[in-house]
Amino acid sequence: DSGVTQTPKHLITATGQRVTLRCSPRSGDLSVYWYQQSLDQGLQFLIQYYNGEERAKGNILERFSAQQFPDLHSELNLSSLELGDSALYFCASSPRPGDEQYFGPGTRLTVT
Amino acid sequence: EDKVVQSPLSLVVHEGDTVTLNCSYEVTNFRSLLWYKQEKKAPTFLFMLTSSGIEKKSGRLSSILDKKELFSILNITATQTGDSAVYLCAVINSVIQGAQKLVFGQGTRLTINP
């Protein structure tokens, strides 16, 4: 158990819908990262927050957005969902940027 | 574009064998390289390597980084069936104003047969 929690564990929804994934980092970690893992793409970095501010963006679609709240938990919002958005979404945290990252258990999103 | 390449992509060995997994990288402003083990769930952190030539060791696992040749290896000795997993290599580019990306390789799927 890494200390990073994610909810929900599984999510099944229809195309065109919007969902919110939630992440609580390890106690004391200020930096939160979101990743998408699909079978054909491997682990892809989406976005990073540090102490409430967005710091880095990866291959994140415009239909996706995220935020980090004052209590340091983070949410990833996925809208206008498409079948291709079906994947495992991981959240990771680290004390500071540049430190090793610890991953949460992931949310498996299935879009039907 | 930053790139991390792992080899082999798949490896099947017998319990007790020693294996070496490879990771090469091309990134701008390299900062550190990390190894993770992924079974059916989240990647689990194994090692973080920042300096060349210094071996990191944890039980039967060890890893070393060569910053001149831009690669790292992960060794597992006396393998056990519990070592079966996907091993991921990732590289952190330099941290500028707190911005950091972790670029992952495709992973090596290791299967240990009893």
Side-chain angles (χ1 to χ4, degrees):
Chain A
D1 185 355
S2 67
V4 179
T5 60
Q6 288 186 248
T7 55
K9 287 186 181 174
H10 301 278
L11 200 47
I12 301 175
T13 189
T15 53
Q17 295 298 304
R18 174 189 168 93
V19 297
T20 297
L21 313 183
R22 182 188 167 103
C23 167
S24 293
R26 295 186 322 157
S27 177
D29 285 359
L30 298 179
S31 206
V32 168
Y33 313 80
W34 285 97
Y35 294 89
Q36 180 191 58
Q37 187 174 40
S38 53
L39 282 173
D40 57 344
Q41 291 282 333
L43 259 168
Q44 299 287 317
F45 167 73
L46 295 177
I47 197 163
Q48 176 214 356
Y49 280 82
Y50 176 61
N51 207 19
E53 292 185 7
E54 180 189 306
R55 290 302 176 102
K57 267 188 170 178
N59 302 320
I60 188 165
L61 299 171
E62 284 192 17
R63 300 183 286 109
F64 296 0
S65 65
Q67 52 185 328
Q68 186 179 28
F69 294 87
D71 67 352
L72 300 177
H73 90 271
S74 178
E75 292 181 356
L76 179 67
N77 300 297
L78 314 176
S79 61
S80 303
L81 285 167
E82 302 175 1
L83 295 177
D85 297 328
S86 296
L88 257 176
Y89 290 84
F90 286 109
C91 167
S93 74
S94 68
R96 290 163 303 274
D99 293 338
E100 64 270 20
Q101 296 178 21
Y102 293 89
F103 282 74
T107 293
R108 182 170 292 283
L109 174 66
T110 303
V111 182
T112 61
Chain B
E1 187 184 331
D2 295 342
K3 193 162 69 172
V4 177
V5 177
Q6 293 185 244
S7 64
L9 292 181
S10 180
L11 186 58
V12 180
V13 300
H14 290 291
E15 204 168 17
D17 288 351
T18 292
V19 297
T20 298
L21 310 183
N22 303 292
C23 175
S24 64
Y25 61 90
E26 290 178 31
V27 298
T28 51
N29 303 315
F30 173 89
R31 179 184 173 99
S32 55
L33 184 144
L34 295 87
W35 285 97
Y36 287 86
K37 176 182 182 182
Q38 186 175 25
E39 297 171 90
K40 290 187 179 177
K41 39 193 177 175
T44 303
F45 172 74
L46 296 175
F47 296 113
M48 184 173 187
L49 303 154
T50 306
S51 301
S52 244
I54 299 174
E55 184 184 52
K56 292 231 174 166
K57 202 168 167 63
S58 176
R60 296 175 294 100
L61 277 66
S62 64
S63 184
I64 197 160
L65 174 67
D66 185 329
K67 289 167 74 173
K68 184 179 174 187
E69 300 298 330
L70 308 183
F71 78 92
S72 173
I73 59 172
L74 175 68
N75 281 320
I76 309 175
T77 59
T79 52
Q80 302 170 357
T81 54
D83 295 327
S84 295
V86 174
Y87 289 84
L88 297 165
C89 172
V91 170
I92 296 178
N93 56 13
S94 71
V95 177
I96 301 172
Q97 294 185 338
Q100 174 205 309
K101 293 184 186 181
L102 201 57
V103 179
F104 279 88
Q106 330 89 294
T108 293
R109 181 173 296 279
L110 177 64
T111 303
I112 311 295
N113 288 327

